[in-house]
Amino acid sequence: MKKQKISFDLTIFDDLHELSAEHQKLMLSAIDARINAYAPYSSFQVGAAIQLANGEIVTGSNQENASYPSGLCAERVAIFYAGAKFPNVPIQAIAISATSLNHVVDKPAAPCGNCRQAISEYEIKQEQPIAILMMGETGQILKCNALADILPLAFNSSFLD
Ligand code: THU
């Protein structure tokens, strides 16, 4: 038997201004994208902004549906759009921000498991890490350097061979 510990580097920022200029701009785009969330059921509005290697920023927001599972998270709206519009441009980072009509979101919004899996696919495809920046409406901002850090032992296409 052998035991192995899996760990990763998490950077914690107390304020938006501590981020690099590029990441600040990306997070501001995610905050902006929250406005277009369609969240009549949860009142939880999420914005996601993707930094592409060609300088473009692609954004998305959560889009809910009366048939709840038919809705989609902001991260997947954004990453599928990036994949559809810029299929061969590497994704460098994703910034996520969330707010709620019901309470103050004062802790960083972490991508759900389905979104981690979706982002993982693109990270593996491009063979370059995708940094993940997470924020609520106020409070700290978290950064991890790669999606793989927050989805250890991920399912990937090698299992299908
Ligand atoms: N949501 C996101 O858009 N991203 C996440 O990472 C977590 C959850 C959305 C889905 C749903 O519209 C609402 O937030 C409440 O779960």
Side-chain angles (χ1 to χ4, degrees), residues 48-140:
I50 292 183
Q51 181 68 59
L52 296 171
N54 65 0
E56 293 267 356
I57 291 178
V58 166
T59 61
S61 53
N62 54 326
Q63 301 295 316
E64 297 185 350
N65 194 284
S67 171
Y68 292 2
S70 299
L72 203 60
C73 293
E75 296 90 324
R76 274 176 288 162
V77 169
I79 204 156
F80 291 154
Y81 182 73
K85 188 96 199 280
F86 302 101
N88 300 313
V89 183
I91 294 165
Q92 294 175 330
I94 301 183
I96 305 156
S97 174
T99 185
S100 169
L101 301 180
N102 300 328
H103 65 282
V104 177
V105 181
D106 57 5
K107 56 179 182 229
C112 77
N114 278 315
C115 287
R116 291 179 199 206
Q117 182 67 30
I119 299 166
S120 167
E121 182 77 22
Y122 291 90
E123 185 171 82
I124 291 165
K125 175 181 169 235
Q126 68 182 28
E127 297 178 333
Q128 283 177 53
I130 299 174
I132 314 288
L133 292 138
M134 297 161 263
M135 187 184 163
E137 182 184 347
T138 60
Q140 292 179 325

Coordinates of all heavy atoms in Angstrom, one line a residue, residues 48-140:
A48 N -19.0 34.9 -15.8 CA -17.8 34.3 -16.0 C -17.1 35.0 -17.2 O -17.8 35.4 -18.2 CB -17.9 32.8 -16.4
A49 N -15.8 35.2 -17.1 CA -15.1 35.9 -18.2 C -13.8 35.1 -18.5 O -13.1 34.6 -17.6 CB -14.7 37.3 -17.8
I50 N -13.6 34.8 -19.8 CA -12.5 34.0 -20.2 C -11.5 34.8 -21.0 O -11.8 35.6 -21.9 CB -13.0 32.9 -21.1 CG1 -13.9 31.9 -20.3 CG2 -11.9 32.1 -21.9 CD1 -14.4 30.7 -21.0
Q51 N -10.2 34.7 -20.5 CA -9.1 35.4 -21.2 C -8.5 34.4 -22.3 O -8.0 33.4 -21.9 CB -8.0 35.8 -20.2 CG -6.8 36.5 -20.8 CD -7.2 37.9 -21.3 OE1 -7.7 38.7 -20.6 NE2 -7.1 38.1 -22.6
L52 N -8.6 34.9 -23.5 CA -8.0 34.0 -24.6 C -6.6 34.6 -24.9 O -6.3 35.8 -24.8 CB -8.9 34.1 -25.8 CG -10.3 33.5 -25.6 CD1 -11.2 33.8 -26.8 CD2 -10.2 32.0 -25.4
A53 N -5.8 33.7 -25.5 CA -4.4 34.0 -25.8 C -4.3 35.1 -26.9 O -3.3 35.7 -27.1 CB -3.7 32.8 -26.2
N54 N -5.4 35.3 -27.7 CA -5.4 36.3 -28.7 C -5.8 37.7 -28.2 O -6.1 38.6 -29.0 CB -6.3 35.9 -29.9 CG -7.7 35.8 -29.6 OD1 -8.1 36.0 -28.4 ND2 -8.6 35.4 -30.5
G55 N -6.0 37.8 -26.9 CA -6.4 39.1 -26.3 C -7.9 39.2 -26.1 O -8.3 40.2 -25.4
E56 N -8.7 38.4 -26.7 CA -10.1 38.5 -26.6 C -10.6 38.1 -25.2 O -10.0 37.2 -24.6 CB -10.8 37.6 -27.6 CG -10.7 38.0 -29.1 CD -11.8 38.9 -29.6 OE1 -12.7 39.1 -28.8 OE2 -11.6 39.3 -30.7
I57 N -11.6 38.7 -24.7 CA -12.3 38.2 -23.5 C -13.7 37.8 -23.9 O -14.4 38.5 -24.6 CB -12.4 39.3 -22.5 CG1 -11.0 39.6 -21.9 CG2 -13.3 39.0 -21.3 CD1 -10.9 40.8 -20.9
V58 N -14.1 36.6 -23.5 CA -15.4 36.0 -23.8 C -16.1 35.9 -22.5 O -15.5 35.4 -21.5 CB -15.3 34.6 -24.5 CG1 -16.6 33.9 -24.5 CG2 -14.7 34.7 -25.9
T59 N -17.4 36.3 -22.4 CA -18.1 36.3 -21.2 C -19.4 35.4 -21.3 O -19.8 35.1 -22.4 CB -18.5 37.7 -20.7 OG1 -19.4 38.3 -21.7 CG2 -17.3 38.6 -20.5
G60 N -19.9 35.0 -20.1 CA -21.1 34.3 -20.1 C -21.8 34.5 -18.7 O -21.1 35.0 -17.8
S61 N -23.0 34.2 -18.6 CA -23.7 34.3 -17.3 C -24.7 33.1 -17.2 O -25.0 32.4 -18.3 CB -24.5 35.6 -17.3 OG -25.4 35.7 -18.4
N62 N -25.1 32.8 -16.0 CA -26.0 31.6 -15.9 C -27.3 31.8 -16.5 O -27.9 32.9 -16.5 CB -26.1 31.1 -14.4 CG -26.5 32.2 -13.5 OD1 -26.2 33.4 -13.6 ND2 -27.3 31.8 -12.5
Q63 N -27.8 30.8 -17.1 CA -29.1 30.9 -17.9 C -30.0 29.8 -17.4 O -29.7 28.6 -17.6 CB -28.9 30.7 -19.4 CG -27.9 31.8 -20.0 CD -28.5 33.2 -19.9 OE1 -29.7 33.4 -20.2 NE2 -27.7 34.2 -19.5
E64 N -31.0 30.1 -16.6 CA -31.9 29.1 -16.0 C -33.1 28.8 -16.8 O -33.3 29.4 -17.8 CB -32.3 29.6 -14.6 CG -31.1 29.8 -13.6 CD -31.4 30.2 -12.2 OE1 -32.6 30.5 -11.9 OE2 -30.5 30.1 -11.4
N65 N -33.8 27.7 -16.4 CA -34.9 27.2 -17.2 C -35.9 26.7 -16.2 O -35.6 26.2 -15.2 CB -34.4 26.1 -18.1 CG -35.4 25.8 -19.2 OD1 -36.4 25.1 -18.9 ND2 -35.2 26.2 -20.4
A66 N -37.2 26.8 -16.6 CA -38.3 26.3 -15.8 C -38.1 24.8 -15.5 O -38.5 24.3 -14.5 CB -39.6 26.6 -16.4
S67 N -37.5 24.1 -16.5 CA -37.1 22.8 -16.3 C -35.7 22.9 -15.8 O -34.7 23.0 -16.6 CB -37.2 22.0 -17.6 OG -36.6 20.7 -17.4
Y68 N -35.5 22.9 -14.5 CA -34.3 23.3 -13.8 C -33.0 22.7 -14.5 O -32.0 23.4 -14.7 CB -34.3 23.0 -12.3 CG -35.3 23.8 -11.5 CD1 -36.1 24.7 -12.1 CD2 -35.3 23.6 -10.1 CE1 -37.0 25.5 -11.3 CE2 -36.2 24.3 -9.4 CZ -37.1 25.3 -10.0 OH -38.0 26.0 -9.2
P69 N -32.9 21.4 -14.7 CA -31.6 20.9 -15.2 C -31.3 21.4 -16.6 O -30.2 21.2 -17.1 CB -31.9 19.3 -15.3 CG -33.1 19.1 -14.4 CD -33.9 20.3 -14.5
S70 N -32.3 22.0 -17.3 CA -32.0 22.5 -18.7 C -31.2 23.8 -18.6 O -30.7 24.2 -19.7 CB -33.3 22.7 -19.5 OG -34.0 21.5 -19.6
G71 N -31.1 24.4 -17.5 CA -30.3 25.6 -17.4 C -28.8 25.4 -17.4 O -28.4 24.2 -17.4
L72 N -28.0 26.4 -17.5 CA -26.6 26.2 -17.6 C -25.9 27.3 -16.8 O -26.3 28.4 -16.8 CB -26.2 26.3 -19.1 CG -24.8 25.6 -19.5 CD1 -24.9 24.1 -19.2 CD2 -24.5 25.8 -20.9
C73 N -24.8 26.8 -16.2 CA -23.9 27.7 -15.4 C -23.2 28.7 -16.3 O -22.9 28.4 -17.5 CB -22.9 26.9 -14.6 SG -23.5 25.9 -13.3
A74 N -22.8 29.8 -15.7 CA -22.1 30.9 -16.4 C -20.8 30.4 -17.0 O -20.4 30.7 -18.2 CB -21.8 32.0 -15.4
E75 N -20.1 29.5 -16.3 CA -18.8 29.1 -16.8 C -18.9 28.3 -18.1 O -18.1 28.4 -19.0 CB -18.1 28.2 -15.7 CG -17.7 28.9 -14.4 CD -18.9 28.8 -13.4 OE1 -20.1 28.9 -13.8 OE2 -18.6 28.7 -12.2
R76 N -19.9 27.4 -18.1 CA -20.1 26.6 -19.3 C -20.7 27.4 -20.5 O -20.3 27.2 -21.6 CB -21.0 25.4 -19.0 CG -20.1 24.2 -18.5 CD -20.9 23.0 -18.1 NE -21.7 23.3 -16.9 CZ -22.8 22.6 -16.5 NH1 -23.2 21.6 -17.2 NH2 -23.4 22.9 -15.4
V77 N -21.5 28.4 -20.2 CA -22.0 29.3 -21.2 C -20.8 29.9 -21.9 O -20.6 29.9 -23.1 CB -23.0 30.3 -20.7 CG1 -23.3 31.4 -21.7 CG2 -24.3 29.7 -20.2
A78 N -19.9 30.4 -21.0 CA -18.7 31.1 -21.5 C -17.7 30.2 -22.3 O -17.2 30.5 -23.4 CB -18.0 31.8 -20.4
I79 N -17.4 29.0 -21.7 CA -16.4 28.2 -22.3 C -16.9 27.5 -23.6 O -16.1 27.4 -24.5 CB -15.8 27.2 -21.3 CG1 -14.4 26.8 -21.7 CG2 -16.7 26.0 -21.1 CD1 -13.5 26.3 -20.7
F80 N -18.2 27.2 -23.6 CA -18.7 26.6 -24.9 C -18.7 27.7 -26.0 O -18.5 27.3 -27.1 CB -20.1 26.0 -24.6 CG -20.1 24.8 -23.7 CD1 -21.2 24.4 -23.0 CD2 -18.9 23.9 -23.7 CE1 -21.2 23.3 -22.2 CE2 -18.9 22.8 -22.9 CZ -20.0 22.5 -22.1
Y81 N -19.0 28.9 -25.6 CA -19.0 30.0 -26.6 C -17.5 30.1 -27.1 O -17.3 30.3 -28.3 CB -19.5 31.3 -26.0 CG -19.5 32.4 -27.0 CD1 -20.5 32.3 -28.1 CD2 -18.6 33.4 -27.0 CE1 -20.5 33.3 -29.0 CE2 -18.6 34.4 -28.0 CZ -19.6 34.4 -29.0 OH -19.6 35.3 -29.9
A82 N -16.6 30.2 -26.2 CA -15.2 30.3 -26.6 C -14.8 29.2 -27.5 O -14.1 29.4 -28.5 CB -14.3 30.3 -25.3
G83 N -15.2 27.9 -27.1 CA -14.9 26.8 -28.0 C -15.5 26.8 -29.3 O -14.9 26.4 -30.3
A84 N -16.7 27.4 -29.4 CA -17.4 27.5 -30.7 C -16.9 28.6 -31.5 O -16.8 28.5 -32.8 CB -18.9 27.7 -30.4
K85 N -16.5 29.7 -30.9 CA -16.1 30.9 -31.7 C -14.6 30.9 -32.0 O -14.1 31.4 -33.0 CB -16.5 32.1 -30.9 CG -16.4 33.5 -31.6 CD -17.7 33.9 -32.2 CE -17.5 34.9 -33.3 NZ -17.3 36.3 -32.8
F86 N -13.8 30.4 -31.0 CA -12.3 30.5 -31.1 C -11.8 29.1 -30.8 O -11.0 28.9 -29.8 CB -11.8 31.5 -30.1 CG -12.3 32.9 -30.3 CD1 -13.3 33.4 -29.4 CD2 -11.8 33.8 -31.3 CE1 -13.8 34.7 -29.6 CE2 -12.3 35.1 -31.4 CZ -13.3 35.5 -30.6
P87 N -12.1 28.1 -31.6 CA -11.7 26.7 -31.3 C -10.2 26.5 -31.1 O -9.9 25.6 -30.4 CB -12.3 25.9 -32.5 CG -12.5 26.9 -33.6 CD -12.8 28.2 -32.9
N88 N -9.4 27.2 -31.8 CA -8.0 27.0 -31.7 C -7.2 28.0 -30.9 O -5.9 28.0 -31.0 CB -7.4 26.8 -33.1 CG -8.1 25.7 -33.8 OD1 -8.2 24.6 -33.3 ND2 -8.6 25.9 -35.1
V89 N -7.9 28.8 -30.2 CA -7.2 29.8 -29.4 C -7.1 29.4 -27.9 O -8.1 29.1 -27.3 CB -7.9 31.2 -29.5 CG1 -7.1 32.3 -28.7 CG2 -8.1 31.6 -30.9
P90 N -5.9 29.3 -27.4 CA -5.8 28.8 -26.0 C -6.5 29.7 -25.0 O -6.5 30.9 -25.1 CB -4.3 28.8 -25.7 CG -3.6 28.7 -27.1 CD -4.5 29.4 -28.0
I91 N -7.1 29.1 -24.0 CA -7.7 29.8 -22.9 C -6.7 29.9 -21.8 O -6.1 28.9 -21.3 CB -8.9 29.0 -22.4 CG1 -10.0 28.9 -23.5 CG2 -9.5 29.5 -21.1 CD1 -11.1 27.8 -23.3
Q92 N -6.5 31.2 -21.3 CA -5.5 31.4 -20.3 C -6.1 31.4 -18.9 O -5.4 30.9 -18.0 CB -4.8 32.7 -20.6 CG -4.0 32.7 -21.9 CD -3.3 34.0 -22.2 OE1 -3.9 35.0 -21.9 NE2 -2.2 33.9 -22.9
A93 N -7.2 32.0 -18.8 CA -7.8 32.1 -17.4 C -9.3 32.3 -17.5 O -9.8 32.7 -18.5 CB -7.2 33.4 -16.7
I94 N -10.0 31.9 -16.4 CA -11.4 32.2 -16.3 C -11.6 32.9 -14.9 O -11.1 32.4 -13.9 CB -12.2 30.8 -16.3 CG1 -12.0 30.1 -17.5 CG2 -13.7 31.1 -16.1 CD1 -12.8 28.8 -17.6
A95 N -12.3 34.0 -15.0 CA -12.7 34.7 -13.8 C -14.2 34.5 -13.5 O -15.0 34.5 -14.5 CB -12.4 36.2 -13.9
I96 N -14.6 34.2 -12.3 CA -16.0 34.0 -11.9 C -16.4 34.9 -10.8 O -15.6 35.1 -9.8 CB -16.1 32.5 -11.4 CG1 -15.6 31.5 -12.5 CG2 -17.6 32.2 -11.0 CD1 -15.2 30.2 -11.9
S97 N -17.5 35.5 -10.9 CA -18.1 36.3 -9.8 C -19.6 36.0 -9.6 O -20.3 35.8 -10.6 CB -17.8 37.8 -10.1 OG -18.4 38.6 -9.1
A98 N -20.0 36.0 -8.4 CA -21.4 35.8 -8.1 C -22.0 36.8 -7.2 O -21.4 37.3 -6.3 CB -21.6 34.4 -7.6
T99 N -23.3 37.0 -7.4 CA -24.1 37.9 -6.5 C -25.4 37.3 -6.3 O -25.8 36.3 -7.1 CB -24.2 39.3 -7.1 OG1 -24.8 40.2 -6.1 CG2 -25.0 39.4 -8.4
S100 N -26.2 37.7 -5.4 CA -27.5 37.2 -5.1 C -28.5 38.3 -4.8 O -28.1 39.3 -4.2 CB -27.5 36.2 -4.0 OG -28.8 35.8 -3.6
L101 N -29.7 38.1 -5.2 CA -30.8 39.1 -4.9 C -31.2 38.9 -3.5 O -31.9 39.7 -2.9 CB -32.0 39.0 -5.9 CG -31.6 39.2 -7.3 CD1 -32.9 39.0 -8.2 CD2 -31.0 40.5 -7.6
N102 N -30.8 37.7 -2.8 CA -31.3 37.4 -1.5 C -30.4 37.6 -0.4 O -30.7 37.8 0.8 CB -31.7 35.9 -1.5 CG -32.8 35.6 -2.5 OD1 -33.7 36.5 -2.8 ND2 -32.8 34.4 -3.0
H103 N -29.1 37.6 -0.7 CA -28.1 37.8 0.4 C -26.8 38.3 -0.2 O -26.6 38.3 -1.5 CB -27.8 36.5 1.1 CG -27.2 35.4 0.3 ND1 -27.9 34.7 -0.6 CD2 -25.9 35.0 0.2 CE1 -27.1 33.8 -1.2 NE2 -25.9 34.0 -0.7
V104 N -25.9 38.8 0.6 CA -24.6 39.3 0.1 C -23.7 38.1 0.0 O -23.5 37.3 0.9 CB -24.0 40.3 1.1 CG1 -22.6 40.7 0.6 CG2 -24.9 41.5 1.2
V105 N -23.2 37.9 -1.3 CA -22.3 36.8 -1.5 C -20.9 37.3 -1.1 O -20.2 38.0 -1.9 CB -22.3 36.3 -2.9 CG1 -21.4 35.1 -3.2 CG2 -23.7 35.9 -3.3
D106 N -20.4 36.9 0.1 CA -19.1 37.5 0.5 C -18.0 36.4 0.5 O -16.9 36.6 1.0 CB -19.3 38.1 2.0 CG -19.8 37.0 3.0 OD1 -20.0 35.8 2.6 OD2 -20.1 37.4 4.1
K107 N -18.3 35.3 -0.1 CA -17.2 34.3 -0.3 C -17.1 33.9 -1.8 O -18.1 34.0 -2.5 CB -17.4 33.1 0.6 CG -18.7 32.3 0.4 CD -18.7 31.1 1.3 CE -20.0 30.3 1.1 NZ -20.7 30.0 2.3
P108 N -15.9 33.5 -2.2 CA -15.6 33.3 -3.6 C -16.5 32.2 -4.2 O -16.7 31.1 -3.5 CB -14.2 32.9 -3.6 CG -13.6 33.4 -2.4 CD -14.7 33.4 -1.4
A109 N -17.1 32.4 -5.3 CA -18.0 31.4 -6.0 C -17.1 30.4 -6.7 O -16.4 30.7 -7.6 CB -18.9 32.1 -6.9
A110 N -17.1 29.1 -6.2 CA -16.3 28.1 -6.8 C -17.1 27.4 -7.9 O -18.3 27.2 -7.8 CB -16.0 27.1 -5.8
P111 N -16.5 27.1 -9.0 CA -17.2 26.4 -10.1 C -17.7 25.0 -9.7 O -17.1 24.3 -8.9 CB -16.1 26.2 -11.2 CG -14.8 26.4 -10.6 CD -15.0 27.3 -9.4
C112 N -18.9 24.7 -10.1 CA -19.5 23.4 -9.7 C -18.8 22.2 -10.4 O -17.9 22.5 -11.3 CB -21.0 23.4 -10.1 SG -21.3 23.1 -11.8
G113 N -19.1 21.0 -10.0 CA -18.4 19.9 -10.5 C -18.5 19.7 -12.0 O -17.6 19.4 -12.7
N114 N -19.8 20.0 -12.5 CA -20.0 19.9 -14.0 C -19.1 20.9 -14.7 O -18.6 20.5 -15.8 CB -21.5 20.1 -14.3 CG -22.3 18.8 -14.1 OD1 -21.9 17.8 -14.5 ND2 -23.4 19.0 -13.4
C115 N -19.0 22.1 -14.2 CA -18.2 23.1 -14.9 C -16.7 22.7 -14.8 O -16.0 22.9 -15.8 CB -18.5 24.5 -14.3 SG -20.1 25.1 -14.7
R116 N -16.3 22.2 -13.7 CA -14.9 21.8 -13.6 C -14.6 20.7 -14.7 O -13.6 20.8 -15.4 CB -14.6 21.2 -12.2 CG -14.6 22.3 -11.2 CD -14.4 21.7 -9.8 NE -14.9 22.7 -8.8 CZ -14.4 22.9 -7.6 NH1 -13.5 22.1 -7.1 NH2 -15.0 23.8 -6.8
Q117 N -15.5 19.8 -14.9 CA -15.3 18.7 -15.9 C -15.3 19.4 -17.3 O -14.4 19.0 -18.1 CB -16.4 17.7 -15.8 CG -16.3 16.5 -16.7 CD -15.1 15.6 -16.4 OE1 -14.7 15.5 -15.3 NE2 -14.6 15.0 -17.4
A118 N -16.2 20.3 -17.5 CA -16.2 20.9 -18.8 C -14.9 21.7 -19.1 O -14.3 21.6 -20.2 CB -17.4 21.9 -18.9
I119 N -14.5 22.5 -18.1 CA -13.2 23.3 -18.3 C -12.1 22.3 -18.5 O -11.1 22.6 -19.3 CB -13.0 24.2 -17.1 CG1 -14.2 25.2 -17.0 CG2 -11.7 25.0 -17.3 CD1 -14.3 26.0 -15.7
S120 N -12.1 21.3 -17.7 CA -11.0 20.3 -17.8 C -10.7 19.8 -19.2 O -9.6 19.6 -19.7 CB -11.3 19.1 -16.8 OG -10.4 18.0 -17.1
E121 N -11.8 19.5 -19.9 CA -11.7 19.0 -21.3 C -10.9 20.0 -22.2 O -10.0 19.6 -22.9 CB -13.2 18.9 -21.9 CG -13.2 18.4 -23.3 CD -13.0 16.9 -23.4 OE1 -13.3 16.2 -22.4 OE2 -12.7 16.4 -24.5
Y122 N -11.1 21.3 -22.0 CA -10.4 22.3 -22.8 C -9.0 22.4 -22.3 O -8.1 22.6 -23.2 CB -11.1 23.6 -22.8 CG -12.4 23.6 -23.5 CD1 -13.6 23.2 -22.8 CD2 -12.5 23.8 -24.8 CE1 -14.8 23.1 -23.5 CE2 -13.7 23.8 -25.5 CZ -14.9 23.4 -24.8 OH -16.1 23.3 -25.5
E123 N -8.7 22.3 -21.0 CA -7.4 22.4 -20.5 C -6.5 21.2 -21.1 O -5.4 21.4 -21.5 CB -7.4 22.4 -19.0 CG -6.0 22.6 -18.4 CD -6.1 22.8 -16.9 OE1 -6.2 21.8 -16.1 OE2 -6.1 23.9 -16.4
I124 N -7.1 20.0 -21.1 CA -6.4 18.9 -21.6 C -6.2 19.0 -23.1 O -5.1 18.8 -23.6 CB -7.2 17.6 -21.3 CG1 -7.2 17.3 -19.8 CG2 -6.6 16.4 -22.1 CD1 -8.2 16.3 -19.3
K125 N -7.2 19.5 -23.8 CA -7.1 19.7 -25.3 C -6.0 20.6 -25.6 O -5.2 20.4 -26.6 CB -8.4 20.2 -25.8 CG -8.5 20.5 -27.2 CD -9.9 21.1 -27.6 CE -9.9 21.7 -29.0 NZ -10.4 23.1 -29.0
Q126 N -5.9 21.7 -24.9 CA -4.9 22.7 -25.3 C -3.5 22.5 -24.7 O -2.5 23.2 -25.0 CB -5.4 24.1 -24.9 CG -5.5 24.4 -23.4 CD -6.1 25.8 -23.1 OE1 -6.8 26.4 -23.9 NE2 -5.7 26.4 -22.0
E127 N -3.4 21.5 -23.8 CA -2.1 21.2 -23.1 C -1.5 22.4 -22.5 O -0.3 22.6 -22.5 CB -1.2 20.6 -24.1 CG -1.7 19.2 -24.7 CD -0.8 18.6 -25.7 OE1 0.0 19.3 -26.4 OE2 -0.8 17.4 -25.8
Q128 N -2.3 23.3 -22.0 CA -1.8 24.5 -21.2 C -2.8 24.7 -20.1 O -4.0 24.6 -20.3 CB -1.9 25.7 -22.1 CG -0.7 25.8 -23.1 CD -0.9 27.1 -24.0 OE1 -1.1 28.2 -23.5 NE2 -0.9 26.9 -25.3
P129 N -2.3 25.1 -18.9 CA -3.2 25.3 -17.8 C -4.1 26.5 -17.9 O -3.8 27.5 -18.6 CB -2.2 25.6 -16.6 CG -0.9 26.0 -17.2 CD -0.9 25.4 -18.6
I130 N -5.3 26.4 -17.3 CA -6.3 27.5 -17.3 C -6.4 27.9 -15.9 O -6.8 27.1 -15.0 CB -7.6 27.0 -17.8 CG1 -7.5 26.5 -19.3 CG2 -8.7 28.1 -17.7 CD1 -8.8 25.9 -19.8
A131 N -5.9 29.2 -15.6 CA -6.0 29.7 -14.2 C -7.5 30.0 -13.9 O -8.3 30.4 -14.8 CB -5.2 31.0 -14.1
I132 N -7.9 29.7 -12.7 CA -9.3 30.0 -12.2 C -9.3 31.0 -11.1 O -8.6 30.9 -10.1 CB -9.9 28.7 -11.7 CG1 -9.6 27.4 -12.5 CG2 -11.4 28.9 -11.4 CD1 -10.4 27.4 -13.8
L133 N -10.0 32.1 -11.4 CA -10.1 33.2 -10.4 C -11.5 33.2 -9.9 O -12.5 33.2 -10.7 CB -9.8 34.5 -11.0 CG -8.3 34.7 -11.5 CD1 -8.2 35.3 -12.8 CD2 -7.6 35.5 -10.4
M134 N -11.7 33.2 -8.6 CA -13.1 33.1 -8.0 C -13.4 34.2 -7.0 O -12.5 34.5 -6.2 CB -13.2 31.8 -7.2 CG -13.0 30.5 -8.1 SD -12.6 29.1 -7.1 CE -10.8 29.0 -7.2
M135 N -14.5 34.8 -7.2 CA -14.9 35.9 -6.3 C -16.4 35.8 -6.1 O -17.2 35.3 -6.9 CB -14.6 37.2 -7.0 CG -14.8 38.4 -6.2 SD -14.4 39.9 -7.2 CE -15.2 41.1 -6.2
G136 N -16.9 36.4 -4.9 CA -18.3 36.6 -4.7 C -18.6 37.9 -5.2 O -18.3 38.3 -6.3
E137 N -19.3 38.7 -4.3 CA -19.7 40.0 -4.7 C -18.7 40.9 -3.9 O -18.2 42.0 -4.5 CB -21.1 40.2 -4.2 CG -21.7 41.5 -4.5 CD -23.1 41.5 -3.9 OE1 -23.7 40.5 -3.5 OE2 -23.7 42.6 -3.8
T138 N -18.4 40.5 -2.7 CA -17.4 41.2 -1.9 C -16.5 40.2 -1.4 O -16.7 39.0 -1.6 CB -18.1 41.9 -0.7 OG1 -18.7 40.9 0.1 CG2 -19.1 43.0 -1.2
G139 N -15.5 40.6 -0.6 CA -14.6 39.6 0.1 C -13.4 39.2 -0.8 O -13.1 39.8 -1.8
Q140 N -12.8 38.1 -0.3 CA -11.6 37.6 -0.9 C -11.7 37.1 -2.3 O -12.8 36.7 -2.7 CB -11.0 36.5 0.0 CG -10.5 37.1 1.3 CD -9.9 36.0 2.2 OE1 -10.4 34.9 2.2 NE2 -8.9 36.3 3.0

